Amino acid sequence: MKRLLSLALLAILPLTVHAKTKNEMSKLAGSYKGETRARDETRAQSQDGTYAIRHHTMSLDLGKDGTATLTQSNTGADAITSFAHWTVQGDIVKLTFDPVDKQPTPAPMTFRYNHKTLTPVVYNHDLWRTLPPPPMKREKNTETRNEY
């Protein structure tokens, strides 16, 4: 009887872990945005390019289905949009980028989630040369843009 109970628990365990992961993903799904500007820079100056070298933006849409869209701009002018899939383990959100044609696939990117903010932990240092990417705060609109 003890063996049967042990086997039943082992069979159910993966289902509970999967359900917990899906629940965590549902809580984190949404749109996040972050930007950094020079101390004396106004929003208008960053939009017209006056301080473009010091203006960094990043936005991330996390879909409930595990898809993600990441847009990065380390100059404030040129934006790079990448598509990925995301997973969560504890307070770490990991993006695994989708391959595009014959281009090399970027290394995964990770973020630490804390109080509705995603802070980049592992990122492309070649892209973000002068400053690290900005932390991203969850936008008030909780509906994700990449769900159809």
Side-chain angles (χ1 to χ4, degrees):
M1 182 67 167
K2 288 183 182 179
R3 275 190 180 166
L4 186 59
L5 183 59
S6 296
L7 289 173
L9 287 174
L10 286 175
I12 292 174
L13 186 62
L15 295 175
T16 59
V17 170
H18 181 68
K20 182 178 177 185
T21 302
K22 285 291 186 188
N23 190 27
E24 288 175 3
M25 286 180 75
S26 180
K27 288 180 186 178
L28 296 177
S31 298
Y32 297 82
K33 186 174 183 176
E35 63 181 345
T36 57
R37 290 193 292 268
R39 185 177 302 241
D40 55 345
E41 178 183 7
T42 66
R43 186 174 301 273
Q45 288 171 322
S46 65
Q47 289 173 345
D48 73 11
T50 305
Y51 288 94
I53 292 173
R54 295 183 281 181
H55 185 115
H56 308 282
T57 60
M58 181 181 277
S59 65
L60 177 63
D61 290 321
L62 299 176
K64 291 179 183 178
D65 61 353
T67 58
T69 304
L70 175 70
T71 302
Q72 307 177 78
S73 176
N74 64 336
T75 64
D78 299 323
I80 300 169
T81 300
S82 305
F83 301 97
H85 286 81
W86 65 284
T87 56
V88 62
Q89 287 186 331
D91 65 344
I92 298 293
V93 174
K94 180 179 179 181
L95 291 184
T96 304
F97 294 100
D98 298 340
V100 177
D101 298 327
K102 295 180 181 180
Q103 297 178 13
T105 303
M109 190 171 187
T110 60
F111 303 88
R112 184 170 311 282
Y113 181 79
N114 189 14
H115 300 292
K116 298 184 180 179
T117 300
L118 289 172
T119 303
V121 177
V122 176
Y123 54 90
N124 182 347
H125 289 271
D126 291 334
L127 178 64
W128 297 93
R129 291 184 187 123
T130 57
L131 291 174
M136 297 179 291
K137 297 210 179 280
R138 187 171 185 148
E139 293 185 322
K140 293 191 188 309
N141 182 1
T142 58
E143 293 296 316
T144 58
R145 293 182 213 154
N146 61 348
E147 286 187 350
Y148 300 102

